[in-house]
Amino acid sequence: MRQVIIIGSGPAGYTAAIYAARANLAPLVIASSVEAGGELMNTTEVENFPGFPEAIMGPDLMTKMQQQAERFGAEIVYDDVVDLDLAGPTKTVTLGSGAVHQADAVVFATGSAPRKIGIDGERRLSGRGVSYCATCDGFFFREKVIAVVGGGDSAMEEATFLTKFASKVYVIHRRDELRASKIMQDRAIANDKIEFVWNAEIADILGEDAVTGVLLRDTVDGTERELPLDGVFVAIGNDPRTHLVHDKLALTPEGTVQVDGRSSRTSIPGVFAAGDVIDPTYRQAVTAASSGTVAALDVEHYLAGLGEAGAPAPDAAEIDGLPDADAA
């Protein structure tokens, strides 16, 4: 029997683990068998995470977070959750290996998954020229002509990164202006290898055994044309990973897990949520990490209440290792 189980190993999950472990809660982190570390494992340079003025590679940042959590006593398990029983005071987590773990509290920090275009060619050619991860697959497109679909920061980052390998990168966007931050836009626009295709959407991805091109549809006049390509990278956003709790926790209209105000408390006592799975708006590594902090503090307050009826909740400063101001 555990005090807390953390499901997810992105910035939210590992930060929750760091705080929970420092509070002597000995958290168990279910990190996934194939996607441990979350979306930052598919990211190149992270330039906006505080404390790294020269930037840090996404996988390196997640490795450091994991090591920090383990240093304080968190246990990491590389497996996938296949079932959750959250209704009673004891929460039960069943893994793909058949192992069953129980805890007084659960932190749900499963993050989000890449959004699909939703067309037949995408499904047929996934892994055969259609990719959702530039850092994973960019190497295979040396001196090839490829396209990135999307207009946000992720799309600009992927397009810029892919110019290290490809001879040309098209950015296909359904509008005539980008959603990306100015610095990311400027970087992509200044790159000679990148060409923007405005007011266009992909009607189909062409090819039998590998991508040979795309069928573009003009979003203004509806005309269609083919664009020869060797690969397509989809970067049109992410959807929260909530499939495990669809019939268990209350969700928001955006599909994220609903929490109480600025807390991490969900619709079931003892179940907390953090990171991109509760955030449809900001979706940054640093906001996910801060959300993981909130979850760990909420868990400690909850467990303190279970341990002794009417027991005072731990002071946040004490939990953070700082002296109590009242005692100074």
Side-chain angles (χ1 to χ4, degrees):
M1 180 74 171
R2 303 271 180 167
Q3 293 188 80
V4 57
I5 295 173
I6 298 168
I7 302 171
S9 57
Y14 276 145
T15 303
I18 291 167
Y19 271 75
R22 290 182 71 242
N24 293 322
L25 300 181
L28 175 67
V29 180
I30 311 300
S32 173
S33 61
V34 294
E35 296 177 325
E39 291 301 304
L40 280 185
M41 296 299 288
N42 301 326
T43 303
T44 53
E45 291 186 344
V46 179
E47 298 179 316
N48 53 5
F49 199 91
F52 298 94
E54 303 302 322
I56 183 171
M57 298 297 287
D60 292 340
L61 177 60
M62 298 319 302
T63 298
K64 289 180 181 293
M65 285 190 178
Q66 177 184 338
Q67 291 171 344
Q68 191 171 359
E70 290 178 314
R71 173 193 168 197
F72 293 115
E75 179 184 349
I76 315 296
V77 171
Y78 298 99
D79 205 340
D80 300 300
V81 178
V82 295
D83 190 43
L84 291 171
D85 184 355
L86 306 174
T90 298
K91 318 303 179 185
T92 302
V93 179
T94 304
L95 306 183
S97 63
V100 177
H101 298 277
Q102 293 185 318
D104 294 315
V106 165
V107 175
F108 194 69
T110 51
S112 57
R115 187 173 299 154
K116 307 295 195 298
I117 300 173
I119 54 179
D120 289 339
E122 176 187 27
R123 288 185 288 270
R124 186 179 71 255
L125 296 169
S126 180
R128 300 181 178 182
V130 175
S131 174
Y132 304 89
C133 175
T135 55
C136 305
D137 300 328
F139 177 83
F140 301 109
F141 292 88
R142 286 186 176 276
E143 300 305 316
K144 302 290 187 180
V145 178
I146 58 179
V148 173
V149 185
D153 278 358
S154 295
M156 297 307 102
E157 180 184 12
E158 296 225 339
T160 303
F161 174 77
L162 287 166
T163 60
K164 297 178 180 180
F165 307 101
S167 59
K168 187 174 189 62
V169 179
Y170 291 98
V171 173
I172 300 170
H173 187 44
R174 57 182 293 108
R175 300 178 180 84
D176 60 359
E177 60 181 9
L178 301 169
R179 303 187 312 275
S181 60
K182 188 176 187 306
I183 187 172
M184 298 300 289
Q185 290 190 43
D186 291 346
R187 192 174 296 169
I189 291 170
N191 195 307
D192 292 338
K193 283 190 175 182
I194 296 177
E195 180 178 332
F196 288 85
V197 181
W198 303 107
N199 297 317
E201 62 183 5
I202 294 183
D204 199 5
I205 299 177
L206 310 175
E208 291 299 322
D209 299 318
V211 170
T212 59
V214 294
L215 179 64
L216 295 177
R217 180 182 298 122
D218 192 294
T219 57
V220 177
D221 60 24
T223 57
E224 295 183 343
R225 66 184 178 94
E226 292 187 8
L227 178 66
L229 294 170
D230 300 301
V232 177
F233 288 78
V234 181
I236 56 175
N238 295 70
D239 293 312
R241 299 178 188 269
T242 55
H243 60 283
L244 288 168
V245 295
H246 274 178
D247 58 345
K248 297 176 173 66
L249 298 178
L251 304 180
T252 67
E254 293 88 355
T256 55
V257 176
Q258 182 176 306
V259 293
D260 181 15
R262 297 184 64 186
S263 80
S264 65
R265 296 186 297 272
T266 70
S267 55
I268 294 180
V271 180
F272 306 85
D276 286 2
V277 79
I278 69 170
D279 177 12
T281 305
Y282 300 105
R283 298 186 53 258
Q284 300 294 307
V286 69
T287 54
S290 66
S291 180
T293 302
V294 170
L297 298 180
D298 284 345
V299 165
E300 191 166 3
H301 283 229
Y302 174 77
L303 294 175
L306 292 181
E308 182 179 346
D315 183 82
E318 292 176 349
I319 294 169
D320 198 38
L322 299 174
D324 188 343
D326 291 338

